[in-house]
Amino acid sequence: MIMRKKFGIVTIFPDMVRAYLGCSILKRAIENNLIAVAIHNLRDYSTDKHRTVDDYPYGGGPGMVMKPEPFFRSVEDQWPIRENRRVIMLSPRGRVFSQEIARELSREKRELIFLCGRYEAIDERVREHLIDDEISIGDYVLTGGELPALVIIDAVSRLLPDVLGDSRSAEDESFSYGLLDYPHYTRPEMFRGMGVPNVLLSGNHEEIRKWRKRQSLKATLQKRPELLAIYALSDEEKLLMEQIKEETS
Ligand code: 4FV
């Protein structure tokens, strides 16, 4: 019996999140009970009749800051047992998300709870006393934490058994082992005078495997050489890389 992976999202825009989870692979994963995503409206945990979740910043400055009470009340009400939850705040100050972190979170037994900010920031006491983890999806500033939460739920869910139609596809792709992906082709064989590399039409799976490996190494060397610094080349890959460097030098 595959354990259903449980996620929680706290946001002031629940419909925005539902929209993305209501389509395609994640929709099917929810229907097939492979994942569950509990969506909670932060305003339901405000403490006033105006359902206020933000206020002016102490010390002045631009924008509004999200109040601590609604976040603490929502987490303590919905996920009271600390051992069963891992509360993740999305913010540009977090550790930068990667396929490695996606794998780490896909192995996590605790429920993954995402706190989605809006406005300028979230009161620092949430970071200091409520969260277990802080993740950024990249060095740029968004209008909210909902997209980062969905990016992470998407990347983690597709690593779970049976979520992708063909589990091989999660193993054999960009970053799944540290190199950029190889080029992919499908019908038509000829398109506007542009063909398909013969090796892919040869049926020679060993030659196809080697061509794809060479393409991955070449693309990584040209586009993301820093990835090669942390990637342990196999003997075959070292050989292929020598050939590539000779060809491209
Ligand atoms: C972000 C990021 C991000 C900052 C203020 C939401 C915004 C606004 N989150 N990775 N990059 N968050 O830009 O995670 O509330």
Side-chain angles (χ1 to χ4, degrees):
M1 167 58 188
I2 294 179
M3 273 299 289
R4 182 176 58 161
K5 181 129 188 111
K6 298 177 76 174
F7 300 98
I9 296 182
V10 177
T11 169
I12 60 172
F13 295 117
D15 294 342
M16 177 191 288
V17 170
R18 281 196 198 94
Y20 187 79
L21 297 171
C23 306
S24 183
I25 289 167
L26 294 182
K27 179 174 185 268
R28 196 182 58 226
I30 291 167
E31 288 165 347
N32 296 346
N33 228 15
L34 299 171
I35 68 170
V37 186
I39 303 166
H40 296 282
N41 190 331
L42 185 68
R43 292 193 186 284
D44 295 345
Y45 295 91
S46 57
T47 53
D48 66 320
K49 68 178 179 313
H50 305 297
R51 295 163 65 78
T52 306
V53 295
D54 65 312
D55 205 336
Y56 295 99
Y58 280 118
M64 300 294 274
V65 175
M66 299 189 86
K67 295 166 59 63
E69 309 98 313
F71 281 109
F72 278 79
R73 288 156 53 90
S74 63
V75 169
E76 291 159 356
D77 180 65
Q78 289 299 328
W79 304 280
I81 305 166
R82 201 176 170 87
E83 295 67 42
N84 298 350
R85 71 183 192 217
R86 178 169 172 174
V87 179
I88 301 171
M89 184 161 87
L90 297 313
S91 99
R93 288 174 51 161
R95 58 188 177 132
V96 178
F97 190 55
S98 64
Q99 192 68 12
E100 182 48 39
I101 295 176
R103 278 195 289 270
E104 171 204 320
L105 296 178
S106 71
R107 293 189 292 265
E108 171 65 65
K109 293 288 168 272
R110 294 173 291 172
E111 190 158 349
L112 299 177
I113 315 302
F114 297 94
L115 303 186
C116 303
R118 281 272 150 181
Y119 309 102
E120 199 64 25
I122 295 176
D123 185 284
E124 187 65 12
R125 290 163 284 189
V126 170
R127 174 183 285 114
E128 288 168 343
H129 303 287
L130 183 62
I131 68 171
D132 304 294
D133 201 353
E134 186 173 4
I135 298 178
S136 167
I137 61 166
D139 298 337
Y140 40 82
V141 182
L142 303 167
T143 61
E146 287 77 12
L147 284 175
L150 292 168
V151 163
I152 297 172
I153 290 173
D154 189 302
V156 170
S157 298
R158 59 188 300 290
L159 295 174
L160 304 172
D162 303 336
V163 167
L164 289 183
D166 176 344
S167 63
R168 280 174 310 150
S169 51
E171 288 129 27
D172 174 26
E173 65 189 0
S174 275
F175 300 112
S176 69
Y177 48 78
L179 297 175
L180 297 188
D181 206 1
Y182 50 77
H184 297 260
Y185 295 83
T186 188
R187 288 180 293 196
E189 187 179 322
M190 186 58 66
F191 173 66
R192 298 184 182 178
M194 299 175 281
V196 170
N198 290 332
V199 64
L200 298 179
L201 308 171
S202 69
N204 180 329
H205 294 295
E206 177 53 16
E207 279 312 309
I208 291 168
R209 184 191 65 75
K210 275 202 294 212
W211 179 86
R212 284 173 169 172
K213 178 62 76 176
R214 191 179 303 110
Q215 293 296 321
S216 282
L217 289 166
K218 203 169 167 186
T220 308
L221 182 65
Q222 288 164 346
K223 300 172 189 287
R224 300 288 305 282
E226 80 280 2
L227 292 174
L228 292 168
I230 53 177
Y231 179 77
L233 290 168
S234 68
D235 295 344
E236 178 194 46
E237 289 166 339
K238 285 184 186 123
L239 210 59
L240 289 169
M241 190 59 91
E242 288 321 306
Q243 292 166 1
I244 291 165
K245 286 180 176 166
E246 275 149 34
E247 288 159 15
T248 52
S249 59

